[in-house]
Amino acid sequence: MCKPWGVIRPFPFESLPGRPCPVAASLELVGERWSLLVIREVSLGNHRFSEIARGTGAPRDRLSARLSALVEAGVLERRPYSTAPPRSGYHLTAAGRDLLPVLQGLMQWGNKWLADEPPVELHHAPHGHEEHVVDAEWVCRTCGEPVMASRAERVLTPAGRVLSGLPAEDGE
């Protein structure tokens, strides 16, 4: 049977307290501070445990637990880089790379609301153009138009309707 695109492992949404939704499920996996900092460090090219520890400032036991959980969840993968002694580095999977816009959004929010002067920005220099700052924004994947949050509507899918205790199909 073919899995829906992107599913690394089905999440038991019904086990979540409150409103069952992908935001709550995602936070169960990556909502703890060290998880997102690990993903940041790996995306910056720090693949070894010692590099990730230095970049995050996480206690070693906490970091080890986070790395194991992210590997188990399919967000990171281990790749050997030494056989004597045996050592592995951590690399983002497709699921991990899909979290990079989340980090970009948090960085942009932090630069705007928490910093007098942004400590870091993302820059883009397309061919023949001057370097400029990149901003996170929602873009419609059908028409390419930027979408403001006030112009987006939350629509329950059949699976979301069932999780909310409603019939799978809307009877309207």
Side-chain angles (χ1 to χ4, degrees), residues 8 25 39-40 66 74 108 123 127 155 168:
I8 49 180
I39 293 163
R40 178 197 67 192
R66 284 294 97 210
Q108 185 175 321
H123 286 215
H127 301 292
V155 177

mmCIF file of all heavy atoms in Angstrom, residues 8 25 39-40 66 74 108 123 127 155 168:
data_model
loop_
_atom_site.group_PDB
_atom_site.id
_atom_site.type_symbol
_atom_site.label_atom_id
_atom_site.label_comp_id
_atom_site.label_asym_id
_atom_site.label_seq_id
_atom_site.Cartn_x
_atom_site.Cartn_y
_atom_site.Cartn_z
ATOM 1 N N ILE A 8 6.440 9.968 7.870
ATOM 2 C CA ILE A 8 7.583 9.210 8.366
ATOM 3 C C ILE A 8 7.114 8.112 9.309
ATOM 4 O O ILE A 8 7.706 7.060 9.378
ATOM 5 C CB ILE A 8 8.644 10.118 9.041
ATOM 6 C CG1 ILE A 8 8.040 11.056 10.045
ATOM 7 C CG2 ILE A 8 9.427 10.867 8.000
ATOM 8 C CD1 ILE A 8 9.029 11.963 10.744
ATOM 9 N N ALA A 25 0.736 17.783 17.381
ATOM 10 C CA ALA A 25 1.543 16.583 17.124
ATOM 11 C C ALA A 25 2.998 16.957 16.832
ATOM 12 O O ALA A 25 3.924 16.310 17.323
ATOM 13 C CB ALA A 25 0.945 15.789 15.958
ATOM 14 N N ILE A 39 18.379 20.787 15.320
ATOM 15 C CA ILE A 39 18.090 20.896 13.891
ATOM 16 C C ILE A 39 18.815 22.110 13.298
ATOM 17 O O ILE A 39 19.381 22.029 12.204
ATOM 18 C CB ILE A 39 16.569 20.949 13.653
ATOM 19 C CG1 ILE A 39 15.958 19.599 14.043
ATOM 20 C CG2 ILE A 39 16.241 21.294 12.204
ATOM 21 C CD1 ILE A 39 14.482 19.614 14.253
ATOM 22 N N ARG A 40 18.845 23.226 14.034
ATOM 23 C CA ARG A 40 19.589 24.405 13.582
ATOM 24 C C ARG A 40 21.063 24.065 13.382
ATOM 25 O O ARG A 40 21.646 24.361 12.344
ATOM 26 C CB ARG A 40 19.454 25.544 14.598
ATOM 27 C CG ARG A 40 20.256 26.797 14.211
ATOM 28 C CD ARG A 40 20.465 27.734 15.366
ATOM 29 N NE ARG A 40 21.331 27.140 16.377
ATOM 30 C CZ ARG A 40 21.489 27.642 17.595
ATOM 31 N NH1 ARG A 40 20.834 28.711 17.972
ATOM 32 N NH2 ARG A 40 22.306 27.051 18.455
ATOM 33 N N ARG A 66 17.719 13.769 22.965
ATOM 34 C CA ARG A 66 17.088 14.490 21.847
ATOM 35 C C ARG A 66 17.535 13.914 20.515
ATOM 36 O O ARG A 66 16.728 13.726 19.611
ATOM 37 C CB ARG A 66 17.425 15.984 21.880
ATOM 38 C CG ARG A 66 16.700 16.789 22.889
ATOM 39 C CD ARG A 66 15.203 16.877 22.611
ATOM 40 N NE ARG A 66 14.521 15.886 23.411
ATOM 41 C CZ ARG A 66 13.402 15.249 23.126
ATOM 42 N NH1 ARG A 66 12.760 15.491 22.033
ATOM 43 N NH2 ARG A 66 12.883 14.365 23.920
ATOM 44 N N GLY A 74 12.703 9.965 12.541
ATOM 45 C CA GLY A 74 12.965 10.141 11.115
ATOM 46 C C GLY A 74 13.286 11.562 10.718
ATOM 47 O O GLY A 74 13.259 11.899 9.532
ATOM 48 N N GLN A 108 13.174 35.049 12.163
ATOM 49 C CA GLN A 108 12.603 36.322 11.724
ATOM 50 C C GLN A 108 11.774 36.948 12.844
ATOM 51 O O GLN A 108 11.872 38.149 13.095
ATOM 52 C CB GLN A 108 11.749 36.094 10.478
ATOM 53 C CG GLN A 108 11.214 37.356 9.865
ATOM 54 C CD GLN A 108 10.490 37.066 8.565
ATOM 55 O OE1 GLN A 108 10.918 36.237 7.776
ATOM 56 N NE2 GLN A 108 9.390 37.758 8.346
ATOM 57 N N HIS A 123 20.464 35.789 3.980
ATOM 58 C CA HIS A 123 20.622 36.601 2.781
ATOM 59 C C HIS A 123 20.580 35.721 1.546
ATOM 60 O O HIS A 123 20.907 34.540 1.603
ATOM 61 C CB HIS A 123 21.951 37.366 2.818
ATOM 62 C CG HIS A 123 21.942 38.504 3.777
ATOM 63 N ND1 HIS A 123 22.613 39.670 3.544
ATOM 64 C CD2 HIS A 123 21.335 38.671 4.976
ATOM 65 C CE1 HIS A 123 22.425 40.502 4.549
ATOM 66 N NE2 HIS A 123 21.659 39.905 5.442
ATOM 67 N N HIS A 127 21.597 35.122 -9.192
ATOM 68 C CA HIS A 127 22.531 35.465 -10.272
ATOM 69 C C HIS A 127 22.264 36.875 -10.785
ATOM 70 O O HIS A 127 21.152 37.206 -11.187
ATOM 71 C CB HIS A 127 22.404 34.459 -11.419
ATOM 72 C CG HIS A 127 22.674 33.052 -10.988
ATOM 73 N ND1 HIS A 127 23.918 32.635 -10.602
ATOM 74 C CD2 HIS A 127 21.860 31.989 -10.836
ATOM 75 C CE1 HIS A 127 23.866 31.359 -10.256
ATOM 76 N NE2 HIS A 127 22.623 30.949 -10.390
ATOM 77 N N VAL A 155 -9.623 24.437 7.223
ATOM 78 C CA VAL A 155 -10.650 23.520 6.743
ATOM 79 C C VAL A 155 -10.319 22.124 7.245
ATOM 80 O O VAL A 155 -9.209 21.627 7.035
ATOM 81 C CB VAL A 155 -10.713 23.527 5.188
ATOM 82 C CG1 VAL A 155 -11.740 22.527 4.686
ATOM 83 C CG2 VAL A 155 -11.017 24.918 4.675
ATOM 84 N N ALA A 168 -17.008 11.763 8.785
ATOM 85 C CA ALA A 168 -15.892 11.989 7.859
ATOM 86 C C ALA A 168 -16.300 12.920 6.718
ATOM 87 O O ALA A 168 -15.507 13.737 6.274
ATOM 88 C CB ALA A 168 -15.387 10.658 7.299
#
